[in-house]
């Protein structure tokens, strides 16, 4: 039996001594106020035990991590029709790259870059009666935690400053790959990104991807084949132009957000979330990636 508590403590002691903690995302003004010294981890085993260290109960903005959850909800509604409007290839480019979208005639490379997630938001707007409420209910049910909520100030902050996302949405519209009104779609997208969770809540939200579609309370909403596809997309596209590096260093499917969170999982074994708000130059949590590299190396647990 692996001494998970001991491993997390070792990682914590090593990581908090690092002097280069990366840079806080400031392009979303509301995110700039977070303390760079914050650091937490929460680990949930599929066999039942859970372990944590540091600021694992403090809430943060999950940002792009929400793209996996909207993808899951869209797949549960419309199934593989999604793939007529979005590809499943890694982009090798930053999350907000626009030139590729124009070159590929409005078909986003994958659902985890911004343009792909905006198409998913458009799909949800078309199929859900009350999109923001219904998505929030989905996440709360998945997690078994009804305290999870949007941060309306963060969503508003992005609505005022998210010019790149407006450009992406307008480009999608010009290629007929956006069926609803641009500002309605972005209002939904900015709200999904503003969801706040602690490492413990995020781990529970993603439990379903580690346990073949059963959520932490044992309810099933996603098919095993859909879980397989979502995990494959996380592995190949979850870290944008750093997806190769994450697979190389950590060796798990996962997803990052500019709030500094990362969630990763080993199917049938565990889900782990890390929060360290300083980012590297590719927009992924610098110390979060380092912590996960240490975790899979010390426990000898990865998909490889
Ligand atoms: O759309 C954006 O730019 C942000 N709401 C989310 C970007 C993000 O989290 C990228 N991930 N590392």
């Amino acid at each position: 039996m692996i001494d998970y508590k001991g491993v997390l403590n070792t990682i914590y002691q090593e990581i908090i001594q690092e002097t280069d903690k990366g840079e806080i995302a400031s392009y979303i003004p509301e995110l700039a106020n977070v303390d760079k010294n914050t650091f937490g981890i929460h680990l949930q085993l599929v066999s039942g035990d859970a372990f944590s260290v540091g600021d694992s109960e403090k809430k943060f903005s999950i940002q792009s991590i929400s793209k996996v959850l909207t993808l899951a909800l869209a797949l549960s509604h419309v199934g593989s029709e999604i793939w007529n409007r979005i590809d499943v290839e890694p982009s090798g480019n930053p999350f907000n790259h626009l030139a590729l979208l124009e070159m590929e005639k409005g078909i986003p490379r994958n659902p985890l870059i911004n343009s792909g997630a905006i198409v998913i938001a458009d799909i949800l707007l078309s199929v859900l009666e009350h999109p923001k409420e219904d998505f929030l209910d989905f996440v709360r049910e998945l997690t078994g935690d009804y305290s999870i909520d949007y941060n309306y100030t963060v969503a508003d902050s992005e609505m005022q400053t998210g010019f790149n996302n407006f450009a992406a949405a307008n480009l999608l519209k010009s290629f007929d790959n956006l069926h609803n009104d641009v500002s309605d779609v972005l209002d939904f997208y900015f709200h999904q990104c503003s969801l706040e969770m602690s490492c413990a809540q995020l781990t529970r939200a993603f439990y379903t991807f580690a346990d073949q579609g059963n959520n932490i309370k044992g309810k099933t909403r996603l098919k095993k084949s859909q879980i397989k596809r979502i995990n494959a997309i996380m592995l190949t596209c979850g870290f944008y132009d750093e997806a190769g590096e994450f697979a190389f260093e950590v060796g798990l499917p996962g997803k990052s957000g500019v709030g500094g969170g990362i969630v990763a999982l080993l199917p049938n074994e565990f889900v782990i979330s890390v929060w360290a708000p300083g980012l590297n130059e590719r927009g992924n949590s610098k110390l979060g990636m380092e912590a996960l590299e240490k975790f899979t190396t010390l426990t000898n647990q990865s998909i490889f």
Side-chain angles (χ1 to χ4, degrees), residues 27-28 31 61-65 67 95-96 112 114 118 158 164-165 189-190 193-194 238-240 255-261 279 282-285:
Y27 79 99
I28 303 172
L31 295 186
S61 194
I62 73 164
Q63 291 297 323
S64 283
I65 298 173
K67 293 168 179 172
F95 58 86
N96 53 7
L112 302 183
N114 286 5
I118 291 169
E158 261 210 289
N164 177 285
N165 284 318
Y189 171 74
F190 293 140
C193 288
S194 83
F239 298 81
Y240 317 111
K255 184 72 203 83
S256 62
V258 289
L279 308 180
R282 300 241 165 97
N284 298 314
S285 170

Side-chain angles (χ1 to χ4, degrees), residues 117-126 128-133 150 155 159 165-166 169-170 173 178-192:
I118 291 169
V119 173
I120 296 287
D122 183 55
I123 291 171
L124 289 176
L125 242 61
S126 299
L128 301 176
E129 207 172 325
H130 305 289
K132 282 188 273 191
E133 292 83 348
Y150 300 120
M159 198 70 180
N165 284 318
F166 274 95
N170 278 295
K173 190 94 184 159
L178 207 77
H179 301 162
N180 294 281
D181 182 72
V182 163
S183 50
D184 290 346
V185 176
L186 288 178
D187 177 60
F188 177 85
Y189 171 74
F190 293 140
H191 278 83
Q192 71 167 79

Side-chain angles (χ1 to χ4, degrees), residues 27 45 65-66 68 71 106 156 165 213 236 245-246 261 290 300:
Y27 79 99
L45 305 184
I65 298 173
S66 66
V68 180
L71 170 63
D156 189 51
N165 284 318
T236 51
E245 181 77 9
F246 192 82
E290 283 177 34
N300 224 349

Side-chain angles (χ1 to χ4, degrees), residues 7-16 18 38-42 53 199 246 249-250 252 260 262 264 270 272-276 285-299 301:
V7 169
L8 294 194
N9 284 333
T10 304
I11 295 171
Y12 183 78
Q13 291 309 330
E14 289 179 11
I15 291 288
I16 57 167
E18 295 247 9
T38 324
F39 177 63
I41 307 181
H42 187 89
V53 70
C199 288
F246 192 82
E249 297 286 350
V250 180
L252 297 173
I262 300 181
F270 64 77
I272 185 165
S273 299
V274 186
W275 178 40
S285 170
K286 179 178 182 288
L287 297 183
M289 277 185 70
E290 283 177 34
L292 289 173
E293 187 281 325
K294 288 179 195 293
F295 180 79
T296 53
T297 303
L298 290 171
T299 59
Q301 297 238 73

Side-chain angles (χ1 to χ4, degrees), residues 34-160:
V34 179
D35 178 4
K36 240 192 213 184
N37 295 308
T38 324
F39 177 63
I41 307 181
H42 187 89
L43 168 71
Q44 172 75 54
L45 305 184
V46 172
S47 60
D49 286 339
F51 306 88
S52 52
V53 70
D55 301 305
S56 62
E57 298 288 341
K58 270 198 194 160
K59 292 191 178 206
F60 58 91
S61 194
I62 73 164
Q63 291 297 323
S64 283
I65 298 173
S66 66
K67 293 168 179 172
V68 180
L69 302 171
T70 50
L71 170 63
L73 183 58
L75 268 176
S76 78
H77 277 273
V78 302
S80 55
E81 269 177 45
I82 287 179
W83 312 123
N84 299 332
R85 294 177 61 186
I86 309 174
D87 208 343
V88 291
E89 293 300 335
S91 75
N93 275 301
F95 58 86
N96 53 7
H97 202 257
L98 292 174
L100 193 67
L101 184 63
E102 188 181 20
M103 268 158 48
E104 297 184 350
K105 307 212 177 325
I107 302 294
R109 271 286 171 102
N110 65 67
L112 302 183
I113 52 174
N114 286 5
S115 56
I118 291 169
V119 173
I120 296 287
D122 183 55
I123 291 171
L124 289 176
L125 242 61
S126 299
V127 298
L128 301 176
E129 207 172 325
H130 305 289
K132 282 188 273 191
E133 292 83 348
D134 296 349
F135 174 61
L136 191 56
D137 283 347
F138 172 71
V139 176
R140 287 172 168 175
E141 189 194 295
L142 210 54
T143 317
D145 185 333
Y146 291 79
S147 72
I148 291 172
D149 214 338
Y150 300 120
N151 180 324
Y152 295 92
T153 315
V154 170
D156 189 51
S157 178
E158 261 210 289
M159 198 70 180
Q160 305 303 324

